[in-house]
Amino acid sequence: MPQNPNAQVDSATLDLIEHNATGSVPATPSFQDSILRLISSHQIYANADFKGGYVTARSLAGKVCFIAKNLKDVAEHKITPDLLESNNSIFDRYLISLNERQKNTAEPKRALVAGKVAHHRAKWVGDKKIVDHDPIHSLFLVPGCGKHVGLPGNYLYGMLFQVTDQQDSPWNLHLHDTDDGLATCTFATLKLALDKLDELVASAPFTLSELTALDFKNN
């Protein structure tokens, strides 16, 4: 079987990206053609930390994914939803994984990514005070890229959430880049949503457009 004539230069491009602090490559025709091939085959993504640079899928494959530590305990009714790890705590764990430069860029995005603290509503039924909890919104972060770059460290961020606060509420998974890139999927139960989230984690890194293979819709 004849060898791919581009394999050697593409391999050299991947090595160059991984050994360059900014993920940049020379602006020669051979390297630029290689970049186009590697983007098309989802072997490299735009670098979220250095404009004009790239990051390889194989280097992102070893990155940690960040999900509420006790999300499955909530799903299995071992703990109540109010004990679910907070989005700010998940975001803090993500920050710890970054270098100082990345942390300084990521921290101002906390409100966008982690959202606001849920406010609980209280009402009286006769002489008994009942506290209703807002629907669950649980943050997760996985390595990848969308139409635009991800968060510092090359992370996409998403939410697993109830559509309403009713027991039979459907569940959604939304996954974002740092602009208008968005992939969504809806499930009848939390278990189905968690199964899909496990599949996402196992598939990372990826581009949002690739998630159509996992039944997601892209905006």
Side-chain angles (χ1 to χ4, degrees), residues 2-217:
Q3 186 177 8
N4 181 349
N6 297 317
Q8 187 171 357
V9 66
D10 288 353
S11 178
T13 302
L14 290 170
D15 289 341
L16 185 59
I17 290 171
E18 291 181 348
H19 290 89
N20 186 317
T22 63
S24 58
V25 299
T28 61
S30 61
F31 274 114
Q32 294 307 307
D33 287 346
S34 178
I35 287 293
L36 293 177
R37 290 192 297 270
L38 293 171
I39 290 174
S40 177
S41 61
H42 304 294
Q43 294 187 68
I44 61 172
Y45 310 126
N47 195 318
D49 301 313
F50 296 99
K51 187 175 182 179
Y54 299 92
V55 61
T56 67
R58 68 190 186 190
S59 68
L60 295 183
K63 279 185 169 282
V64 176
C65 295
F66 298 94
I67 299 168
K69 293 178 179 179
N70 53 1
L71 183 56
K72 290 189 177 181
D73 288 339
V74 173
E76 295 170 0
H77 306 291
K78 294 179 180 178
I79 60 172
T80 54
D82 57 297
L83 297 177
L84 180 66
E85 182 183 9
S86 71
N87 291 340
N88 272 311
S89 173
I90 298 167
F91 192 82
D92 285 340
R93 290 196 284 116
Y94 155 67
L95 285 182
I96 290 171
S97 75
L98 305 177
N99 62 40
E100 287 304 313
R101 181 180 183 275
Q102 293 168 330
K103 286 180 184 176
N104 291 335
T105 305
E107 178 58 47
K109 301 181 185 297
R110 179 186 291 270
L112 171 67
V113 175
K116 298 179 180 179
V117 177
H119 296 286
H120 305 306
R121 302 177 298 278
K123 63 183 179 180
W124 289 91
V125 178
D127 59 354
K128 187 177 181 180
K129 187 177 183 180
I130 304 295
V131 177
D132 290 331
H133 293 283
D134 289 335
I136 292 173
H137 287 70
S138 191
L139 173 67
F140 63 93
L141 300 104
V142 293
C145 187
K147 293 188 297 184
H148 312 281
V149 296
L151 296 170
N154 299 285
Y155 276 90
L156 299 166
Y157 71 96
M159 282 284 174
L160 167 66
F161 64 95
Q162 289 175 285
V163 176
T164 74
D165 60 358
Q166 300 303 306
Q167 188 173 3
D168 61 350
S169 170
W171 291 77
N172 281 352
L173 280 174
H174 284 191
L175 198 56
H176 304 259
D177 59 25
T178 51
D179 201 320
D180 62 353
L182 172 65
T184 66
C185 206
T186 301
F187 308 89
T189 66
L190 174 56
K191 183 184 184 306
L192 290 173
L194 282 177
D195 287 345
K196 185 61 67 173
L197 182 54
D198 286 342
E199 192 174 6
L200 281 178
V201 170
S203 301
F206 44 71
T207 62
L208 291 181
S209 62
E210 291 180 274
L211 293 184
T212 55
L214 299 182
D215 301 319
F216 279 76
K217 294 181 180 179

